[in-house]
Amino acid sequence: MKVESVRGMRDVLPAEVGLWQRLEREIRSCFERYAYGEIRPPVVELAELFSRGVGGDTDLVHKEMYVFPDRKGLPLALRPEATASVVRAFVEHGLHARGDLAKLYYLGPMFRYEKPQKGRQRQFHQYGVEALGSLDPALDAEVIDLAAQLMVALGLERQGLTLRLNAIGCAADRPPYKAALATYLGEHAEQLCADCQRRAVENPMRVLDCKQPRCRAVSKDAPHSAQHLCGACARHFGEVKTYLDALDLAYKEDYTLVRGLDYYTRTVFELCSDELGAQDALLGGGRYDDLVSVLGGPPTPAVGFAGGMERLVLLLQGLAGEDETRLLDAVLVPVGDDPAVRSAAVDALHRLRVAGRTADMEYMARSLRKAMQVAARRARWVIILGPDELERGEVTVRHLASAQEAAVPLARLTEPGVWPGSV
Ligand code: HAM
């Protein structure tokens, strides 16, 4: 019986992997230019980390998290996001004790039990950064700038991108704002979807997240969090915008942007692309100044963002000219089945690889002509080794692009510059 992959969890096949690897290289290099260092937290965490960190009544934890007991009954979770894990690691390893800013990045799989659709999987991959230890609004601007620069590095800056920005205030701003919002939503309860009628009472800010047109219509005129900021939060937001202007980064203030996770404070943002359809958020993030203390660390302000790799892949696949097939340096074709020839070929192949060349051998017993055709699609050079060549202690090296050919002594095969057409 055929066993299939789990719904919403897909293979990245070899034809696509080149693009993924290029993305991963660009992302790492961009993050490192902004002085972020990599952290690799585990994929499995205690479920409690997310119920406390992200919020027990967020959809993410309540409806979408994969939770399972281990063999002793301990409730574990496949991580649905990485911010809580990074903060846990930051507290657990005393990274705060160094008294400096901790700038960390990650890349890896996350798991959410959502309805799979274009740009939304149950196993997906996030790249993200977290900067822990400073309240400086220039740091908010830095992470937004980093996100924007990454899109430039990937050649996506013209893919209908919009930076949505909002400020949702600190813990002290929240109760009066929620009260004002709940009052407004109460007055329009009959226009809301059934879920939002409940949310309006239990967690009114979640109504602003709802995608239903009727709820959006109500949200449009709802009180804005940015109008309910204390003096310090209002100043912070003003400075973030000043820095974004200084960086020439265009943004759209969107008062309905509240983000689906409970840990956010002050700045929140999303970068969306109108080329992505319903799941249009390329990345999202913001400040979470209380999360470190909620997870048992000393009060530590922090800001970060994460984006989905699959959505970048969708955009890049839509761009013409994206060809990631990478050629090997050489394919070695032994001629005939003389054991001495085959041993010499195995040895030559090994020496090529040890010398740092990417190389493979014809293993499928194809005719020389067929083997040459296949090799021409895979490599820049073909190396032919038959009984005559072996007797002379040579191989024939053919540069496919220029059709130049040369006899090269076997002993000198790995020397630079001896292959025809080499640069
Ligand atoms: P998030 O908005 O839940 O934020 O996810 C960030 C990004 O991950 C989304 O914008 C989207 O590109 C991608 N994503 C989310 N769910 C899926 C899915 N099911 N399939 C494919 N892609 C998906 C966070 O996770 C926060 N931890 C971000 C953050 C970091 N905030 C501060 N620091």
Side-chain angles (χ1 to χ4, degrees):
M1 196 188 74
K2 206 163 69 174
V3 180
E4 294 184 346
S5 59
V6 175
R7 183 163 137 85
M9 305 202 184
R10 51 181 291 271
D11 301 299
V12 179
L13 294 172
E16 252 184 301
V17 153
L19 177 55
W20 279 74
Q21 290 177 338
R22 174 167 93 76
L23 279 177
E24 287 160 5
R25 277 196 304 276
E26 291 283 3
I27 289 169
R28 285 177 199 285
S29 126
C30 215
F31 286 174
E32 282 167 19
R33 260 185 288 144
Y34 281 70
Y36 289 78
E38 187 173 0
I39 182 166
R40 300 187 184 190
V43 166
V44 174
E45 296 273 7
L46 293 177
E48 184 194 354
L49 172 66
F50 302 105
S51 47
R52 275 178 44 202
V54 175
D57 56 30
T58 57
D59 279 358
L60 185 69
V61 171
H62 181 60
K63 295 189 184 157
E64 296 165 7
M65 195 156 76
Y66 283 87
V67 186
F68 54 97
D70 74 359
R71 288 185 180 270
K72 289 192 174 154
L74 191 64
L76 302 180
L78 290 180
R79 62 179 184 194
E81 61 106 54
T83 308
S85 297
V86 170
V87 170
R88 184 214 26 83
F90 174 83
V91 174
E92 189 169 327
H93 302 290
L95 300 183
H96 52 85
R98 303 195 188 141
D100 201 356
L101 187 62
K103 296 178 78 175
L104 303 165
Y105 81 81
Y106 48 86
L107 276 171
M110 310 289 155
F111 303 84
R112 297 184 188 180
Y113 194 81
E114 291 188 275
K115 195 160 174 238
Q117 55 175 261
K118 184 181 163 203
R120 191 160 80 187
Q121 283 82 41
R122 290 182 174 173
Q123 174 174 319
F124 62 102
H125 297 78
Q126 275 188 350
Y127 54 94
V129 297
E130 313 293 350
L132 304 108
S134 171
L135 200 53
D136 190 335
L139 196 55
D140 307 40
E142 176 184 283
V143 297
I144 295 175
D145 178 44
L146 170 50
Q149 277 312 304
L150 182 60
M151 298 309 138
V152 174
L154 295 173
L156 290 176
E157 70 277 22
R158 276 188 280 279
Q159 295 308 108
L161 301 185
T162 308
L163 175 63
R164 302 165 65 207
L165 184 70
N166 194 15
I168 57 169
C170 59
D173 296 337
R174 210 62 55 76
Y177 172 59
K178 278 188 176 171
L181 186 58
T183 307
Y184 169 83
L185 294 173
E187 287 159 7
H188 298 79
E190 70 291 350
Q191 288 158 255
L192 297 172
C193 73
D195 266 351
C196 282
Q197 293 191 2
R198 179 182 51 79
R199 290 182 187 126
V201 181
E202 291 170 9
N203 198 346
M205 284 170 75
R206 293 281 81 84
V207 175
L208 303 179
D209 264 347
C210 184
K211 298 271 190 287
Q212 301 264 358
R214 52 203 286 207
C215 301
R216 283 192 162 208
V218 175
S219 297
K220 198 164 56 62
D221 299 318
H224 299 165
S225 55
Q227 291 163 341
H228 287 75
L229 299 178
C230 63
C233 287
R235 262 194 311 283
H236 186 96
F237 192 38
E239 285 180 47
V240 172
K241 289 188 282 187
T242 305
Y243 293 129
L244 293 179
D245 292 340
L247 289 164
D248 225 2
L249 281 171
Y251 55 84
K252 195 170 141 234
E253 282 187 58
D254 181 341
Y255 300 114
T256 64
L257 179 68
V258 287
R259 312 266 305 129
L261 320 177
D262 277 354
Y263 50 61
Y264 288 110
T265 52
R266 298 192 168 188
T267 317
V268 289
F269 63 93
E270 266 178 19
L271 189 63
C272 299
S273 164
D274 56 23
E275 313 256 311
L276 277 174
Q279 301 303 316
D280 67 346
L282 260 181
L283 55 88
R287 276 209 162 265
Y288 46 95
D289 293 335
D290 302 327
L291 183 57
V292 179
S293 51
V294 164
L295 294 177
T300 308
V303 58
F305 77 81
M309 293 282 287
E310 283 77 3
R311 297 187 188 179
L312 286 181
V313 168
L314 276 176
L315 282 187
L316 285 163
Q317 282 173 337
L319 289 182
E322 186 61 44
D323 181 10
E324 280 295 319
T325 31
R326 281 210 269 150
L327 291 177
L328 295 169
D329 290 329
V331 169
L332 204 148
V333 181
V335 184
D337 45 17
D338 176 348
V341 169
R342 293 195 57 84
S343 293
V346 166
D347 176 59
L349 179 66
H350 174 75
R351 285 190 295 116
L352 285 170
R353 290 166 170 168
V354 170
R357 306 288 180 112
T358 54
D360 206 355
M361 189 162 100
E362 162 61 33
Y363 286 114
M364 303 304 289
R366 283 179 275 241
S367 69
L368 179 59
R369 197 176 62 83
K370 189 77 196 143
M372 291 288 285
Q373 279 172 4
V374 174
R377 288 200 296 272
R378 298 187 60 209
R380 288 181 294 148
W381 283 271
V382 183
I383 301 175
I384 301 155
L385 177 56
D388 298 344
E389 279 96 350
L390 184 59
E391 214 168 293
R392 295 195 297 273
E394 288 175 354
V395 286
T396 302
V397 180
R398 183 179 171 84
H399 183 235
L400 291 155
S402 63
Q404 286 182 61
E405 228 172 62
V408 173
L410 258 174
R412 298 186 54 204
L413 184 61
T414 60
E415 287 178 17
V418 295
W419 296 6
S422 13
V423 275

PDB file of all heavy atoms in Angstrom, residues 59 100 373 415:
ATOM      1  N   ASP A  59      -5.904  31.964  18.317  1.00  0.00           N
ATOM      2  CA  ASP A  59      -6.202  30.845  17.408  1.00  0.00           C
ATOM      3  C   ASP A  59      -4.981  29.947  17.281  1.00  0.00           C
ATOM      4  O   ASP A  59      -5.096  28.723  17.200  1.00  0.00           O
ATOM      5  CB  ASP A  59      -6.563  31.365  16.003  1.00  0.00           C
ATOM      6  CG  ASP A  59      -8.017  31.811  15.961  1.00  0.00           C
ATOM      7  OD1 ASP A  59      -8.708  31.675  17.006  1.00  0.00           O
ATOM      8  OD2 ASP A  59      -8.452  32.303  14.902  1.00  0.00           O
ATOM      9  N   ASP A 100      24.067  43.067  27.115  1.00  0.00           N
ATOM     10  CA  ASP A 100      24.160  43.681  25.793  1.00  0.00           C
ATOM     11  C   ASP A 100      22.896  43.332  25.019  1.00  0.00           C
ATOM     12  O   ASP A 100      22.089  42.518  25.452  1.00  0.00           O
ATOM     13  CB  ASP A 100      25.400  43.100  25.084  1.00  0.00           C
ATOM     14  CG  ASP A 100      25.874  44.025  23.969  1.00  0.00           C
ATOM     15  OD1 ASP A 100      25.206  45.040  23.717  1.00  0.00           O
ATOM     16  OD2 ASP A 100      26.912  43.705  23.362  1.00  0.00           O
ATOM     17  N   GLN A 373      25.235  12.383 -23.773  1.00  0.00           N
ATOM     18  CA  GLN A 373      24.056  13.258 -23.840  1.00  0.00           C
ATOM     19  C   GLN A 373      23.553  13.602 -22.434  1.00  0.00           C
ATOM     20  O   GLN A 373      23.248  14.745 -22.117  1.00  0.00           O
ATOM     21  CB  GLN A 373      22.911  12.555 -24.586  1.00  0.00           C
ATOM     22  CG  GLN A 373      23.044  12.631 -26.081  1.00  0.00           C
ATOM     23  CD  GLN A 373      21.984  11.736 -26.757  1.00  0.00           C
ATOM     24  OE1 GLN A 373      21.131  11.147 -26.100  1.00  0.00           O
ATOM     25  NE2 GLN A 373      22.074  11.649 -28.070  1.00  0.00           N
ATOM     26  N   GLU A 415      44.714  19.118 -11.214  1.00  0.00           N
ATOM     27  CA  GLU A 415      45.470  20.390 -11.200  1.00  0.00           C
ATOM     28  C   GLU A 415      44.653  21.509 -11.835  1.00  0.00           C
ATOM     29  O   GLU A 415      43.961  21.274 -12.823  1.00  0.00           O
ATOM     30  CB  GLU A 415      46.784  20.234 -11.980  1.00  0.00           C
ATOM     31  CG  GLU A 415      47.803  19.398 -11.242  1.00  0.00           C
ATOM     32  CD  GLU A 415      49.092  19.216 -12.060  1.00  0.00           C
ATOM     33  OE1 GLU A 415      49.307  19.985 -13.029  1.00  0.00           O
ATOM     34  OE2 GLU A 415      49.848  18.300 -11.741  1.00  0.00           O
TER      35      GLU A 415
END
